[in-house]
Amino acid sequence: MYKIIDGKAIREYNLEKISEQVEELKANGILPTLAVIIVGNDPASRIYVNNKKAACERTGMRSLEYALPEETTTEELLELIDKLNADKSVNGILCQLPVPKHINKNLVLERILPEKDVDCFHPENVGRLCIGNGELVPCTPMGMVKMLEYEDIDPTGKHCVIIGRSDIVGKPMAMLMLARNATVTICHSKTQNLAEITKQADILVAAVGIAKFVKEDMVKDGAIVLDVGMDRDENGKLCGDVDFENVKDKTSMITPVPGGVGPMTIAMLMRNTLTAAKIQNK
Ligand code: GUN
Protein backbone atom coordinates (compact mmCIF):
# COMPACT_ATOMS: atom_id res chain seq x y z
CA MET A 1 0.00 0.00 0.00
CA TYR A 2 1.49 3.32 -1.04
CA LYS A 3 1.06 6.73 0.55
CA ILE A 4 0.53 9.90 -1.45
CA ILE A 5 2.83 12.73 -0.36
CA ASP A 6 0.46 15.68 -0.24
CA GLY A 7 2.33 18.72 -1.55
CA LYS A 8 -0.49 21.13 -0.85
CA ALA A 9 -0.77 20.12 2.82
CA ILE A 10 3.01 20.28 3.29
CA ARG A 11 3.11 23.66 1.56
CA GLU A 12 0.43 24.96 3.97
CA TYR A 13 2.39 23.61 6.95
CA ASN A 14 5.53 25.40 5.75
CA LEU A 15 3.76 28.66 4.81
CA GLU A 16 2.17 28.77 8.26
CA LYS A 17 5.57 28.57 9.94
CA ILE A 18 6.98 31.19 7.54
CA SER A 19 4.05 33.55 8.25
CA GLU A 20 4.77 33.35 11.97
CA GLN A 21 8.39 34.34 11.39
CA VAL A 22 7.34 37.18 9.06
CA GLU A 23 5.16 38.51 11.89
CA GLU A 24 8.15 38.41 14.22
CA LEU A 25 10.29 40.39 11.78
CA LYS A 26 7.49 42.90 11.24
CA ALA A 27 7.24 43.40 15.00
CA ASN A 28 10.90 44.47 14.76
CA GLY A 29 10.22 46.90 11.93
CA ILE A 30 11.40 44.65 9.09
CA LEU A 31 9.05 44.00 6.15
CA PRO A 32 10.40 41.13 4.02
CA THR A 33 10.12 42.21 0.38
CA LEU A 34 10.41 40.24 -2.85
CA ALA A 35 10.90 41.98 -6.21
CA VAL A 36 9.81 39.90 -9.19
CA ILE A 37 10.85 40.83 -12.73
CA ILE A 38 8.99 39.46 -15.74
CA VAL A 39 10.06 40.25 -19.30
CA GLY A 40 7.68 39.67 -22.19
CA ASN A 41 4.30 37.98 -22.42
CA ASP A 42 4.83 34.27 -21.76
CA PRO A 43 1.45 33.09 -20.39
CA ALA A 44 2.94 30.38 -18.15
CA SER A 45 5.38 32.90 -16.65
CA ARG A 46 2.49 35.28 -15.95
CA ILE A 47 0.71 32.54 -13.96
CA TYR A 48 3.88 31.72 -11.99
CA VAL A 49 4.50 35.39 -11.20
CA ASN A 50 0.89 35.86 -10.06
CA ASN A 51 1.24 32.80 -7.81
CA LYS A 52 4.42 34.24 -6.30
CA LYS A 53 2.68 37.53 -5.52
CA ALA A 54 -0.24 35.66 -3.94
CA ALA A 55 2.18 33.66 -1.77
CA CYS A 56 3.79 36.91 -0.58
CA GLU A 57 0.38 38.22 0.41
CA ARG A 58 -0.50 34.95 2.11
CA THR A 59 2.65 35.08 4.26
CA GLY A 60 2.44 38.81 5.00
CA MET A 61 5.41 39.82 2.84
CA ARG A 62 5.56 42.71 0.42
CA SER A 63 5.91 41.99 -3.29
CA LEU A 64 6.97 44.33 -6.06
CA GLU A 65 6.39 43.49 -9.70
CA TYR A 66 8.40 44.83 -12.64
CA ALA A 67 6.69 43.80 -15.88
CA LEU A 68 8.94 44.77 -18.78
CA PRO A 69 8.17 44.63 -22.51
CA GLU A 70 9.53 41.90 -24.78
CA GLU A 71 11.96 44.39 -26.43
CA THR A 72 13.75 45.18 -23.16
CA THR A 73 17.53 45.05 -23.66
CA THR A 74 20.04 43.30 -21.43
CA GLU A 75 21.40 46.73 -20.45
CA GLU A 76 17.96 47.96 -19.37
CA LEU A 77 17.38 44.83 -17.33
CA LEU A 78 20.80 45.18 -15.67
CA GLU A 79 19.97 48.79 -14.79
CA LEU A 80 16.79 47.70 -13.03
CA ILE A 81 18.69 44.98 -11.15
CA ASP A 82 21.33 47.51 -10.05
CA LYS A 83 18.55 49.74 -8.72
CA LEU A 84 16.95 46.85 -6.81
CA ASN A 85 20.35 45.69 -5.51
CA ALA A 86 20.92 49.17 -4.06
CA ASP A 87 17.42 49.42 -2.54
CA LYS A 88 17.70 48.42 1.13
CA SER A 89 13.95 47.81 1.37
CA VAL A 90 14.21 44.98 -1.22
CA ASN A 91 15.40 41.67 0.25
CA GLY A 92 14.90 39.25 -2.62
CA ILE A 93 15.13 39.68 -6.40
CA LEU A 94 13.83 37.11 -8.86
CA CYS A 95 13.93 37.35 -12.64
CA GLN A 96 11.31 34.98 -14.03
CA LEU A 97 12.69 32.58 -16.64
CA PRO A 98 12.65 32.15 -19.55
CA VAL A 99 13.71 35.64 -20.62
CA PRO A 100 13.51 36.55 -24.35
CA LYS A 101 16.34 35.03 -26.41
CA HIS A 102 18.12 38.35 -27.12
CA ILE A 103 18.75 38.87 -23.39
CA ASN A 104 22.01 37.56 -21.92
CA LYS A 105 20.49 35.39 -19.20
CA ASN A 106 23.73 34.53 -17.39
CA LEU A 107 24.79 38.17 -17.20
CA VAL A 108 21.41 39.02 -15.71
CA LEU A 109 21.36 36.21 -13.15
CA GLU A 110 24.93 36.99 -12.06
CA ARG A 111 24.10 40.67 -11.56
CA ILE A 112 21.63 39.94 -8.74
CA LEU A 113 23.51 40.32 -5.45
CA PRO A 114 24.14 36.85 -3.94
CA GLU A 115 22.41 37.88 -0.69
CA LYS A 116 19.27 38.83 -2.65
CA ASP A 117 19.38 35.80 -4.98
CA VAL A 118 16.29 33.94 -3.76
CA ASP A 119 16.45 31.50 -6.71
CA CYS A 120 19.97 30.41 -5.69
CA PHE A 121 21.12 30.80 -9.31
CA HIS A 122 24.19 33.02 -8.68
CA PRO A 123 27.49 31.10 -9.08
CA GLU A 124 28.51 32.17 -5.57
CA ASN A 125 25.37 30.60 -4.10
CA VAL A 126 25.77 27.50 -6.28
CA GLY A 127 29.32 27.22 -4.93
CA ARG A 128 28.11 27.61 -1.36
CA LEU A 129 25.51 24.92 -1.99
CA CYS A 130 28.30 22.58 -3.14
CA ILE A 131 30.44 23.17 -0.05
CA GLY A 132 27.41 22.96 2.20
CA ASN A 133 27.35 26.44 3.75
CA GLY A 134 24.61 28.12 1.72
CA GLU A 135 21.77 29.92 3.43
CA LEU A 136 19.75 30.53 0.27
CA VAL A 137 18.84 27.21 -1.30
CA PRO A 138 17.36 26.19 -4.67
CA CYS A 139 13.57 26.23 -4.31
CA THR A 140 12.33 23.09 -6.08
CA PRO A 141 15.02 20.74 -4.68
CA MET A 142 14.59 22.21 -1.19
CA GLY A 143 10.84 21.68 -1.54
CA MET A 144 11.52 17.97 -2.02
CA VAL A 145 13.84 17.89 0.99
CA LYS A 146 11.07 19.49 3.08
CA MET A 147 8.63 16.83 1.83
CA LEU A 148 11.00 14.07 2.96
CA GLU A 149 11.46 15.77 6.35
CA TYR A 150 7.69 16.11 6.78
CA GLU A 151 7.28 12.39 6.08
CA ASP A 152 10.11 11.55 8.54
CA ILE A 153 12.33 10.07 5.84
CA ASP A 154 16.03 10.28 6.65
CA PRO A 155 18.06 10.09 3.41
CA THR A 156 21.14 8.78 5.29
CA GLY A 157 22.56 5.76 3.50
CA LYS A 158 19.71 5.63 1.02
CA HIS A 159 20.41 5.50 -2.70
CA CYS A 160 18.89 8.57 -4.31
CA VAL A 161 18.72 8.34 -8.09
CA ILE A 162 17.94 11.56 -9.93
CA ILE A 163 16.83 11.46 -13.56
CA GLY A 164 17.75 14.85 -15.05
CA ARG A 165 20.87 17.01 -14.75
CA SER A 166 19.46 20.53 -14.98
CA ASP A 167 21.03 23.44 -13.12
CA ILE A 168 17.67 24.24 -11.48
CA VAL A 169 16.68 20.76 -10.26
CA GLY A 170 18.92 17.75 -10.94
CA LYS A 171 22.34 19.11 -9.96
CA PRO A 172 21.24 21.06 -6.85
CA MET A 173 19.07 18.15 -5.68
CA ALA A 174 22.16 15.95 -5.81
CA MET A 175 24.01 18.42 -3.56
CA LEU A 176 21.17 18.63 -1.03
CA MET A 177 20.86 14.85 -0.86
CA LEU A 178 24.63 14.38 -0.53
CA ALA A 179 24.62 16.86 2.34
CA ARG A 180 21.98 14.66 3.96
CA ASN A 181 24.18 11.58 3.62
CA ALA A 182 22.43 9.88 0.72
CA THR A 183 24.35 7.98 -1.93
CA VAL A 184 23.56 9.89 -5.10
CA THR A 185 23.43 8.93 -8.77
CA ILE A 186 22.48 11.40 -11.50
CA CYS A 187 21.14 9.94 -14.76
CA HIS A 188 20.42 11.83 -17.98
CA SER A 189 19.55 11.41 -21.64
CA LYS A 190 22.90 9.74 -22.46
CA THR A 191 22.80 7.28 -19.54
CA GLN A 192 23.01 3.64 -20.59
CA ASN A 193 20.85 0.94 -18.99
CA LEU A 194 18.78 3.59 -17.25
CA ALA A 195 16.19 1.20 -15.80
CA GLU A 196 18.92 -0.90 -14.18
CA ILE A 197 20.07 2.18 -12.29
CA THR A 198 16.67 3.63 -11.42
CA LYS A 199 15.64 0.19 -10.10
CA GLN A 200 18.30 0.58 -7.41
CA ALA A 201 16.77 3.78 -6.07
CA ASP A 202 15.38 4.01 -2.56
CA ILE A 203 14.48 7.59 -3.45
CA LEU A 204 13.79 8.21 -7.13
CA VAL A 205 13.58 11.81 -8.37
CA ALA A 206 12.10 12.27 -11.84
CA ALA A 207 13.07 15.58 -13.43
CA VAL A 208 13.24 14.83 -17.15
CA GLY A 209 10.36 16.84 -18.57
CA ILE A 210 8.87 13.93 -20.52
CA ALA A 211 5.28 12.90 -19.77
CA LYS A 212 4.97 9.52 -17.98
CA PHE A 213 8.62 8.67 -18.71
CA VAL A 214 9.11 6.56 -15.57
CA LYS A 215 7.39 3.18 -15.97
CA GLU A 216 6.78 0.44 -13.40
CA ASP A 217 9.72 -1.67 -14.59
CA MET A 218 12.06 1.22 -13.68
CA VAL A 219 11.04 1.34 -10.01
CA LYS A 220 12.09 -0.86 -7.08
CA ASP A 221 9.40 -2.25 -4.77
CA GLY A 222 8.90 0.12 -1.86
CA ALA A 223 10.76 3.07 -3.42
CA ILE A 224 9.90 6.68 -2.61
CA VAL A 225 9.14 8.50 -5.86
CA LEU A 226 9.31 12.29 -6.23
CA ASP A 227 7.96 13.67 -9.50
CA VAL A 228 9.11 17.13 -10.60
CA GLY A 229 7.43 16.91 -14.02
CA MET A 230 4.79 19.33 -15.26
CA ASP A 231 3.89 17.74 -18.56
CA ARG A 232 0.84 17.16 -20.75
CA ASP A 233 -0.38 13.66 -21.58
CA GLU A 234 -1.80 12.46 -24.91
CA ASN A 235 -5.13 14.14 -24.05
CA GLY A 236 -3.55 17.45 -23.06
CA LYS A 237 -4.10 16.74 -19.36
CA LEU A 238 -1.49 17.87 -16.82
CA CYS A 239 0.70 14.96 -15.70
CA GLY A 240 4.17 14.26 -14.36
CA ASP A 241 7.34 12.51 -15.51
CA VAL A 242 6.10 9.37 -13.75
CA ASP A 243 3.39 7.07 -15.13
CA PHE A 244 1.55 7.50 -11.82
CA GLU A 245 -1.29 4.99 -12.31
CA ASN A 246 1.06 2.15 -13.25
CA VAL A 247 3.90 3.01 -10.87
CA LYS A 248 2.08 3.93 -7.64
CA ASP A 249 1.48 0.37 -6.39
CA LYS A 250 5.18 -0.41 -6.49
CA THR A 251 6.09 2.56 -4.28
CA SER A 252 5.89 3.16 -0.56
CA MET A 253 5.33 6.88 -1.14
CA ILE A 254 4.78 8.94 -4.25
CA THR A 255 4.06 12.57 -5.13
CA PRO A 256 1.12 13.25 -7.46
CA VAL A 257 1.02 15.77 -10.32
CA PRO A 258 -0.58 18.19 -9.81
CA GLY A 259 -0.47 18.66 -6.04
CA GLY A 260 2.99 17.24 -5.34
CA VAL A 261 6.37 18.92 -5.72
CA GLY A 262 4.94 21.93 -7.61
CA PRO A 263 3.26 23.63 -4.64
CA MET A 264 6.44 23.33 -2.58
CA THR A 265 8.57 25.49 -4.89
CA ILE A 266 6.80 28.74 -4.06
CA ALA A 267 6.79 27.91 -0.36
CA MET A 268 10.59 27.62 -0.53
CA LEU A 269 10.78 30.92 -2.41
CA MET A 270 8.98 32.51 0.54
CA ARG A 271 11.40 30.77 2.88
CA ASN A 272 14.38 32.18 0.95
CA THR A 273 12.89 35.68 0.97
CA LEU A 274 12.48 35.44 4.73
CA THR A 275 16.05 34.15 5.08
CA ALA A 276 17.34 36.99 2.86
CA ALA A 277 15.54 39.56 5.04
CA LYS A 278 17.12 38.01 8.14
CA ILE A 279 20.64 37.95 6.60
CA GLN A 280 20.37 41.59 5.53
CA ASN A 281 19.11 42.73 8.94
CA LYS A 282 21.49 40.76 11.13
N1 GUN B 1 10.88 29.62 -14.41
C1 GUN B 1 10.55 28.34 -14.15
N2 GUN B 1 11.00 27.98 -12.93
C2 GUN B 1 11.65 29.04 -12.41
C3 GUN B 1 12.32 29.29 -11.18
O1 GUN B 1 12.44 28.43 -10.30
N3 GUN B 1 12.85 30.52 -11.03
C4 GUN B 1 12.75 31.48 -11.98
N4 GUN B 1 13.31 32.66 -11.74
N5 GUN B 1 12.13 31.29 -13.14
C5 GUN B 1 11.58 30.08 -13.35
Side-chain angles (χ1 to χ4, degrees):
M1 198 44 208
Y2 66 93
K3 178 183 181 186
I4 288 190
I5 304 179
D6 183 346
K8 285 188 184 164
I10 305 171
R11 171 188 65 189
E12 286 310 306
Y13 171 78
N14 278 275
L15 287 180
E16 208 42 53
K17 288 205 301 190
I18 292 164
S19 304
E20 286 165 17
Q21 293 183 58
V22 170
E23 282 314 308
E24 279 175 34
L25 283 189
K26 280 174 156 178
N28 290 307
I30 299 157
L31 175 58
T33 297
L34 173 66
V36 179
I37 304 168
I38 174 170
V39 187
N41 306 305
D42 180 52
S45 289
R46 173 39 65 195
I47 294 170
Y48 290 136
V49 166
N50 289 350
N51 289 343
K52 285 164 186 176
K53 283 161 65 181
C56 283
E57 246 173 64
R58 156 87 172 69
T59 49
M61 301 192 206
R62 182 169 73 124
S63 69
L64 305 171
E65 183 187 307
Y66 297 85
L68 306 180
E70 183 82 21
E71 322 74 77
T72 303
T73 63
T74 301
E75 272 312 311
E76 286 167 333
L77 191 47
L78 293 177
E79 255 175 55
L80 171 61
I81 290 170
D82 287 344
K83 193 182 91 173
L84 295 171
N85 279 340
D87 185 340
K88 290 209 170 353
S89 77
V90 172
N91 306 114
I93 304 170
L94 177 147
C95 180
Q96 185 66 32
L97 300 178
V99 286
K101 283 195 174 53
H102 65 272
I103 288 178
N104 185 333
K105 182 182 86 171
N106 289 340
L107 208 56
V108 167
L109 296 181
E110 291 185 26
R111 191 70 154 243
I112 296 172
L113 279 179
E115 61 265 34
K116 297 193 178 189
D117 168 37
V118 285
D119 264 324
C120 193
F121 288 166
H122 192 288
E124 181 176 321
N125 286 330
V126 176
R128 287 186 184 284
L129 174 71
C130 292
I131 57 176
N133 73 353
E135 291 183 282
L136 298 175
V137 283
C139 297
T140 301
M142 194 60 200
M144 288 189 270
V145 167
K146 286 285 172 188
M147 291 178 123
L148 295 174
E149 281 178 11
Y150 186 90
E151 298 294 349
D152 271 330
I153 297 154
D154 178 3
T156 298
K158 292 195 168 61
H159 189 184
C160 177
V161 177
I162 300 162
I163 320 175
R165 56 175 156 177
S166 72
D167 294 334
I168 299 186
V169 180
K171 287 182 204 165
M173 184 62 178
M175 291 302 129
L176 293 179
M177 294 308 283
L178 262 184
R180 285 158 184 79
N181 303 311
T183 301
V184 177
T185 303
I186 305 183
C187 303
H188 48 79
S189 54
K190 304 283 189 292
T191 297
Q192 295 184 1
N193 305 319
L194 178 66
E196 266 175 44
I197 300 168
T198 58
K199 260 176 21 194
Q200 296 171 26
D202 303 306
I203 300 171
L204 181 61
V205 177
V208 249
I210 301 172
K212 301 183 184 179
F213 179 81
V214 176
K215 303 288 183 195
E216 59 269 39
D217 62 355
M218 297 168 70
V219 178
K220 177 166 88 173
D221 277 328
I224 296 159
V225 176
L226 306 175
D227 189 349
V228 186
M230 287 281 263
D231 314 308
R232 297 277 167 187
D233 70 8
E234 57 283 8
N235 303 312
K237 198 168 151 245
L238 190 63
C239 71
D241 290 349
V242 177
D243 187 353
F244 183 89
E245 281 310 315
N246 292 313
V247 166
K248 64 184 199 267
D249 290 312
K250 284 195 94 173
T251 71
S252 59
M253 290 190 196
I254 183 167
T255 62
V257 177
V261 175
M264 293 301 296
T265 299
I266 289 187
M268 294 302 104
L269 175 64
M270 297 300 105
R271 182 176 181 269
N272 275 345
T273 306
L274 175 71
T275 301
K278 286 182 185 171
I279 296 170
Q280 290 154 37
N281 290 281
K282 250 187 204 137

PDB file of all heavy atoms in Angstrom, residues 19 114 167:
ATOM      1  N   SER A  19       4.877  32.384   7.876  1.00  0.00           N
ATOM      2  CA  SER A  19       4.052  33.549   8.248  1.00  0.00           C
ATOM      3  C   SER A  19       4.342  33.993   9.675  1.00  0.00           C
ATOM      4  O   SER A  19       4.417  35.194   9.964  1.00  0.00           O
ATOM      5  CB  SER A  19       2.556  33.222   8.152  1.00  0.00           C
ATOM      6  OG  SER A  19       2.248  32.768   6.875  1.00  0.00           O
ATOM      7  N   PRO A 114      24.328  38.189  -4.513  1.00  0.00           N
ATOM      8  CA  PRO A 114      24.138  36.853  -3.942  1.00  0.00           C
ATOM      9  C   PRO A 114      23.191  36.846  -2.727  1.00  0.00           C
ATOM     10  O   PRO A 114      22.389  35.934  -2.592  1.00  0.00           O
ATOM     11  CB  PRO A 114      25.553  36.433  -3.542  1.00  0.00           C
ATOM     12  CG  PRO A 114      26.433  37.158  -4.509  1.00  0.00           C
ATOM     13  CD  PRO A 114      25.748  38.484  -4.769  1.00  0.00           C
ATOM     14  N   ASP A 167      20.441  22.577 -14.152  1.00  0.00           N
ATOM     15  CA  ASP A 167      21.030  23.442 -13.124  1.00  0.00           C
ATOM     16  C   ASP A 167      19.993  23.818 -12.060  1.00  0.00           C
ATOM     17  O   ASP A 167      20.350  24.152 -10.935  1.00  0.00           O
ATOM     18  CB  ASP A 167      21.574  24.731 -13.766  1.00  0.00           C
ATOM     19  CG  ASP A 167      22.751  24.442 -14.684  1.00  0.00           C
ATOM     20  OD1 ASP A 167      23.449  23.422 -14.465  1.00  0.00           O
ATOM     21  OD2 ASP A 167      22.971  25.224 -15.631  1.00  0.00           O
TER      22      ASP A 167
END
